[in-house]
Amino acid sequence: MKRIDKIYAYLHENTQKLSREDLLGDKGFETGEMADRLDILRNNVSKELQELLRADKIIKIKGRPVKFLDKSALEAVLQIKIGECCVEVDSVAQLLAEKEDEDPFRNIIGAEMSLKNQVEQAKAAILYPPVGLNTLIFGQTGVGKTLFAKMMYNYGKHVGKFTDDTPFITFNCADYYNNPQLLLAHIFGHSKGSFTGAEQEKEGLIEKANEGILFLDEIHRLPPEGQEMIFYFMDTGSYNKLGETERKRKASVLIIGATTEDPGSYMLKTFMRRIPINISIPSLTERTIQEKIDIIKHLFVNEAHRVNKTIKISGEVVKALIGSVSYGNIGQLKSNIQLTCAKGFLNSINKRSECIELDFKTLSSDIKSGLFEIGRNHKEFAELDHILAAPLLVSPERYKAIIEETEEVPINLYKLIEDRISLLREEGMPDSGINQFIIAELNGKLKKFYTTFNKGNKDRNRISKIIDKEILDFAEQMKTLAETELARKYSDRFIYALSFHLSLFFKRLKEEKYDAKGCISSLADSDAELKVALKIKEIMSETFQVEVPEAEVAYIAILLKSVDEEKEDPVGIIVAAHGSSTASSMVSLVRELLGDGMPICAVDMPLHVSPKEILEVIIEKVKIMDKGSGVLLLVDMGSLYKFEATIIEKTGSNVRTIDMVSTPLVLEAVRKSSVFDMELEEIYQSLRAFKGYNNEASEKNDGNKAIVTVCTSGKGTALKLKEIVENVVRTLTTETIQVFPLEISELDKKVRVLQEKYEVLAVVGVKKAKVNIPFIPLERLIDGNGEAVLREIIKGRQLEILPQQESVVIKDLCEENLAQFLTFLNPHKIIGLLLNFVETLQRELKAEFDNAVKIRIVVHMGYALERSVIGEDLKCETEKEPVDAEIKRAVDKTCELFKAALNIALTEDEKYYVGKMLMPEEN
């Protein structure tokens, strides 16, 4: 190490150890002291210090004696950004006073690096006369869009544009996206009687934000009419409340929007033209390494402040935390840190320590895996090693609130720990048992938070094309009620099953075809479920204003009792093979074919590495990959079988090993784990006889084939599901495959009986059988993937496969939807024409629509034809957006099908709405 580097390292390490009080007391390091400690001549130390000062790496405190501090460490302790200059000050207190009077953007980590351009854009937006420039902030979930908007507001106060009384109003458009009328009423206000429930006049957010800022989070959730009202307000400064006919109201408001989506896909072009400033916030992975570390330090300081304890963090913990962030950016990182600190806090209470010490053992398995993720980037890993040579030490004194922050995790982890410890100790539970209990509860709460945080709205949007939103919302509320009452976790499959059942129930009531005959009159051992079912019946009667028969209670109770709880994590797959990249190559191919989210990892075994070292690596991988369902170890040589017993002993995990690994074997293992939700022993037994895809004919069963459908009962939804599956099978093969609808309560018993006469190829519906049979969830059948899985299952049994056709699920669901609303046209006769329209449109545009888009187009065009027949065509009352010329041409040409078949010519406005519907898909 060079002399100058040795001196700088000494300053950096020792400045980090100083507290805020030490620095404000002008504690620092003298030239003579450094010369003695480092055994370097004093004049040489002085020379190098001057060089470091010119390089802007250190700070000089003038006086007698002169003292020096490391600049970056000082900034971290004081939570300030000093700027790029050669700094000589009379005291640190003077420096801090000068910095605290500077603009608030300096408090944002990265303001001079990865966010420099964004900060300049924000300042320009605020300063532009007279009221500033409307701004759109976009970036992934958790990057800090709300924080950035608040900093813009604070900057406006800093430069004198705003005062402390200037409003900063925040509204999340997603809160009411299912009810556009209510959403617009919140933004613009409403007059008395403007809609049902509007009993008095109410001011809107525009009025509240007058002379200030209105921050619209998730602005892409605004419906088109809302966007039009907003951009009219941007242009003119005038607006009207809902229920008013003239825009006579005035306000001066700076609009700042935020979105996680591509603005071009969801926002009207006319709206986007009114927003001159577009600011993109980078994700955590796009930040510099130093910024990542600074963010982690800041978040740990916040936790230290909350518990009023110093926190010591090892370098491995920091690396793992950085690598653990996959989707939630700083928001997810903050939650991971809170969970880690909560576990460390628990340990510190047990040890009666005033310091929370966090090492690799403290981390949960999900966060531990981050160390291996970041290890893939050798350059970043080496740079982190250099920066994190010593553990981080943060103390409560370093805390500085940037703005009032909201807690990402809606629980106070530290209070929860203290309350649980007190309660469990009173009950006489030993400390070891208390630790296990609390850690399990923490993991459960945080896992639930992550699931909610990570889950998008794609599935819900898809199902909402088929099921009425009111029914879907009701099913979601009942899921929450059932989970609370029964202390049980239900998956989204419960929502789908209940939604379908209720949809058919209301349809039968409407058609006066409801028949309670054949329903189950009594349920054994289901008192708790019956009580909840009765509550749901009462809420259902009140919500939908219908008389709900007692028979429905039995069906709902069966559903509550039998639908699978939230699916466990799939079996982990580890591929271990000799060679520098053999295993990695196979895993890489599998991820490319099946997707990055597969539960699989690789262990490469270079020939120069000892078996003992490889065993240690595999043990760590097993700890990471085992999420509760066990791990399947696929190896290339039988000698690695000897590892299995040792791994089980060291990890306590359920592990099975198969040798002679090949790419087809790995593919089949991952498919059985992730696609078919099979358990470890099922996968192991089925793969032992696997000879590759081309040799599976030897496994063929020449007996009768069957598929089972399962819903809440053998009637209703299950029968509809049976009909859909039969139609799917007819399009896949000419072979005879019988479909049997079964009730949930008798699934396992009846399946075993069926297996005596049939080869049961799959179970389709809301519950997986407890035998080794592939399972296709109801939601997977609806989104189109289920048909592909069925095709693969049938193909794997060497049955004749027909050429691929249009989705039967789309046809059946669209036909049923249209049947409920069409009066003059026969949906059963026009469905073929509508599907032909979609197919022709795809060919014209050389595109492939997903199932949700196909369903949307079919239903929309069915309604359009009916409107044309009765002379009530849609009319566009607003300025038309430009529609892509190629889309317009394709729609015009494809609509000729209706002229030829039905002598119906759609108007230009009707065709415009079809083109507009396709625009987001093409951008």
Side-chain angles (χ1 to χ4, degrees), residues 171 176 179-187 195 242:
F171 179 70
Y176 298 96
N179 192 331
Q181 186 183 50
L182 194 56
L183 190 153
L184 296 177
H186 270 77
I187 295 175
F195 57 86
L242 256 66

Side-chain angles (χ1 to χ4, degrees), residues 340-355:
T340 304
C341 287
K343 288 186 175 181
F345 178 69
L346 174 62
N347 292 336
S348 73
I349 290 177
N350 292 333
K351 295 176 182 177
R352 292 174 173 78
S353 171
E354 290 303 312
C355 178

Side-chain angles (χ1 to χ4, degrees), residues 672-700:
K672 289 179 184 297
S673 172
S674 293
V675 179
F676 296 141
D677 302 328
M678 291 171 67
E679 297 175 0
L680 177 60
E681 193 62 29
E682 292 176 323
I683 299 172
Y684 172 72
Q685 294 297 341
S686 64
L687 290 182
R688 286 179 66 189
F690 181 72
K691 306 298 182 186
Y693 294 117
N694 292 332
N695 295 318
E696 218 172 8
S698 61
E699 307 295 322
K700 179 183 173 184

Side-chain angles (χ1 to χ4, degrees), residues 134 328 415 489 586 809:
N134 299 311
K415 187 175 188 306
K489 184 66 180 172
M586 283 190 278
V809 177

Side-chain angles (χ1 to χ4, degrees), residues 47 49 80 119 159 177 265 303 398 408 411 436 443 457 515 703 705 752 775 784 817 860:
K47 176 184 175 184
L49 287 171
I80 62 172
V119 168
V159 297
Y177 84 97
S265 298
E303 299 309 306
R398 300 183 190 180
E408 267 74 12
I411 49 175
Q436 291 176 356
N443 284 331
N457 290 302
D515 182 9
K705 308 291 190 294
R752 289 190 178 93
F775 173 56
N817 187 296
H860 178 87

Side-chain angles (χ1 to χ4, degrees), residues 621-686:
K621 290 285 188 181
V622 168
K623 291 177 181 177
I624 292 166
M625 296 300 294
D626 185 11
K627 309 295 185 183
S629 301
V631 173
L632 181 68
L633 184 59
L634 303 177
V635 301
D636 63 342
M637 294 187 188
S639 60
L640 294 177
Y641 260 123
K642 290 182 284 187
F643 282 178
E644 185 177 293
T646 306
I647 293 169
I648 293 172
E649 181 184 345
K650 296 283 187 183
T651 63
S653 295
N654 190 10
V655 178
R656 282 297 214 165
T657 308
I658 295 178
D659 65 351
M660 301 299 288
V661 64
S662 63
T663 301
L665 185 72
V666 178
L667 274 168
E668 194 64 11
V670 174
R671 285 198 329 127
K672 289 179 184 297
S673 172
S674 293
V675 179
F676 296 141
D677 302 328
M678 291 171 67
E679 297 175 0
L680 177 60
E681 193 62 29
E682 292 176 323
I683 299 172
Y684 172 72
Q685 294 297 341
S686 64

